Amino acid sequence: NFFALDAKSQWDAFASVIVPAKKLSKPRVPCKLSLKEDLLASCYFLNILGLPLLVPLVSLSLLIKGSSYLKWWLLGVGFLAFHPIPKYLPWYRRNRLGVILAKYFTMTMLIDRSHPEMKHAGTPAVEETPVKAPLVPLACPHGVLNFGAMTWIFFSRWICGLEQYTAGASIVPKVPGLRYLCASLWLIPVDGKSIKRALQETPRL
């Protein structure tokens, strides 16, 4: 587990996977996951993608049938939607899920070191000279869910020296399943005041 390593070992791990960019003659070989990692990834996707789809389908089905279980189902949905989830905790970005997602999607980044802001990206020097804030990473186009951008937030501290807030619709943290995704995204509302405040901060741990 990358996040369980000491600081030196983490930087050594980064150094071991950084190579000069070159044109590939064949598709990149996907990373291999253990059976346990594969199961954990499947459970995660079922949670964040399956639950939001399951809630309206089951609710509508129980309503049409006039089932006595509807009220209990809605109570369960209410709990999943509103139980407390503390905001902006480091643990949300320092757990094995980040490594599993990076392996699952064979995450690859291209860094232009000729750019002054990217000179130290992915090296220990980024701790002393992080990318200048405010920094606004773009993920365009990202479709419904951009797992590349979601995986990035687990490692941005080692790549650019900064943590990241993510702007999102206020309803998203209330959606069962998606709430747990939002925890690692450090979601902020998409209003001018919230975004201005986030841009004025330097989110570092």
Side-chain angles (χ1 to χ4, degrees):
N1 184 357
F2 173 81
F3 300 108
L5 301 174
D6 59 64
K8 182 180 183 305
S9 297
Q10 288 176 336
W11 286 118
D12 289 344
F14 251 84
S16 70
V17 296
I18 295 177
V19 296
K22 62 180 180 180
K23 187 176 181 179
L24 299 179
S25 58
K26 55 183 179 180
R28 186 180 299 278
V29 178
C31 295
K32 292 183 179 180
L33 277 75
S34 67
L35 177 60
K36 181 180 179 181
E37 290 174 330
D38 218 344
L39 288 173
L40 287 172
S42 298
C43 289
Y44 176 70
F45 295 134
L46 283 173
N47 189 346
I48 66 169
L49 301 177
L51 267 180
L53 296 175
L54 188 66
V55 167
L57 291 177
V58 174
S59 300
L60 184 60
S61 176
L62 292 175
L63 180 63
I64 292 173
K65 292 180 178 179
S67 174
S68 60
Y69 291 107
L70 178 60
K71 62 181 179 181
W72 300 110
W73 168 254
L74 293 178
L75 281 173
V77 171
F79 173 78
L80 292 174
F82 294 105
H83 73 80
I85 297 180
K87 293 183 177 181
Y88 315 132
L89 292 186
W91 180 85
Y92 296 145
R93 296 182 169 186
R94 301 293 185 268
N95 62 75
R96 191 166 181 78
L97 176 61
V99 177
I100 292 174
L101 289 177
K103 293 174 68 176
Y104 187 91
F105 293 106
T106 310
M107 184 180 180
T108 304
M109 294 194 63
L110 297 177
I111 298 174
D112 181 6
R113 294 201 182 281
S114 66
H115 192 290
E117 293 290 346
M118 292 288 102
K119 182 179 180 180
H120 301 301
T123 70
V126 81
E127 292 188 324
E128 300 299 327
T129 54
V131 174
K132 294 179 181 178
L135 172 68
V136 183
L138 301 178
C140 309
H142 66 63
V144 178
L145 290 173
N146 185 334
F147 283 104
M150 293 173 191
T151 305
W152 149 272
I153 56 95
F154 287 92
F155 303 99
S156 66
R157 170 254 185 274
W158 287 272
I159 298 170
C160 68
L162 300 173
E163 297 289 346
Q164 173 184 304
Y165 294 118
T166 306
S170 299
I171 189 63
V172 178
K174 302 291 191 299
V175 179
L178 286 181
R179 302 186 71 210
Y180 308 117
L181 168 64
C182 294
S184 58
L185 294 179
W186 288 12
L187 206 70
I188 62 171
V190 281
D191 62 76
K193 183 178 180 180
S194 299
I195 292 176
K196 181 179 179 180
R197 179 180 177 182
L199 291 175
Q200 291 173 339
E201 295 180 359
T202 303
R204 301 183 66 186
L205 295 180

